[in-house]
Amino acid sequence: IADFEVNSTIVSGTTNIAKLNFDAESAFAYGGGIKATWPIKDDITAGVDVQALKHDNDLIMKYTVPGGAAVISKGEASVTSWHIAPFVARTTKDFTAYAGVKYSDSHVDLDVGSATTKLKAKDNFGVFLGGDFFVNQNLALIVEVRLIDETALTLNGNYKF
């Protein structure tokens, strides 16, 4: 399930002319990916992760001018994103540490009334660092930090049945 919100201010010189808000309702996201790894040494692995994701959302646009008058329109948003991320990992008995670089791209098409707005990712390159902590043979706790093109922290738990 994916949703998003975009808020912006339209400025002319130093004067705020209007505020623009796009609010996308939750929608089903679909995609896929593949990860391949190659052993380099006994405890070192190199790999690459490739993923793509798409979702189409109903959209509400609110255009507000100073003084509070607002125009509300409904439309649709289509979001497509993908990334390719080569990485290197080192595994010890109970821990795997990994680091890599990522190239990603996203496109958002906003269709409201007769207007279409196309948005594209500004920053495409990033780095990531992470670790998998193997609590026991069934449970792993995962921490990952992504920087530069995004600022994100992922905390995850995997239980193998």
Side-chain angles (χ1 to χ4, degrees), residues 54-88:
K54 181 165 178 43
H55 53 95
D56 298 310
N57 306 70
D58 290 333
L59 185 70
I60 298 172
M61 183 198 76
K62 184 176 180 183
Y63 181 85
T64 309
V65 296
V71 175
I72 297 175
S73 302
K74 291 188 176 186
E76 296 180 354
S78 178
V79 179
T80 305
S81 63
W82 66 274
H83 78 243
I84 183 167
F87 63 89
V88 63

Side-chain angles (χ1 to χ4, degrees), residues 3 23 27 37 48 52 62 70 78 84 87 92 100 104 111 124 129 135-136 138 140 144-145:
D3 65 1
D23 189 5
T37 59
V48 65
K62 184 176 180 183
S78 178
I84 183 167
F87 63 89
T92 62
S104 62
D111 294 318
N124 298 95
L129 307 166
V135 178
N136 58 42
N138 293 355
E144 183 175 285
V145 176

Side-chain angles (χ1 to χ4, degrees), residues 4 6 22 78 80 105-110 116-122:
F4 65 91
V6 176
F22 292 100
S78 178
T80 305
D105 201 7
S106 296
H107 298 272
V108 180
D109 294 334
L110 306 171
T116 298
T117 301
K118 296 187 178 287
L119 306 172
K120 189 171 175 2
K122 182 178 175 183

Side-chain angles (χ1 to χ4, degrees), residues 91-145:
T91 301
T92 62
K93 180 182 175 197
D94 297 325
F95 179 69
T96 297
Y98 58 89
V101 295
K102 177 180 75 162
Y103 178 84
S104 62
D105 201 7
S106 296
H107 298 272
V108 180
D109 294 334
L110 306 171
D111 294 318
V112 179
S114 61
T116 298
T117 301
K118 296 187 178 287
L119 306 172
K120 189 171 175 2
K122 182 178 175 183
D123 297 320
N124 298 95
F125 288 96
V127 297
F128 59 94
L129 307 166
D132 299 355
F133 303 91
F134 305 106
V135 178
N136 58 42
Q137 72 181 56
N138 293 355
L139 180 63
L141 302 176
I142 299 145
V143 177
E144 183 175 285
V145 176

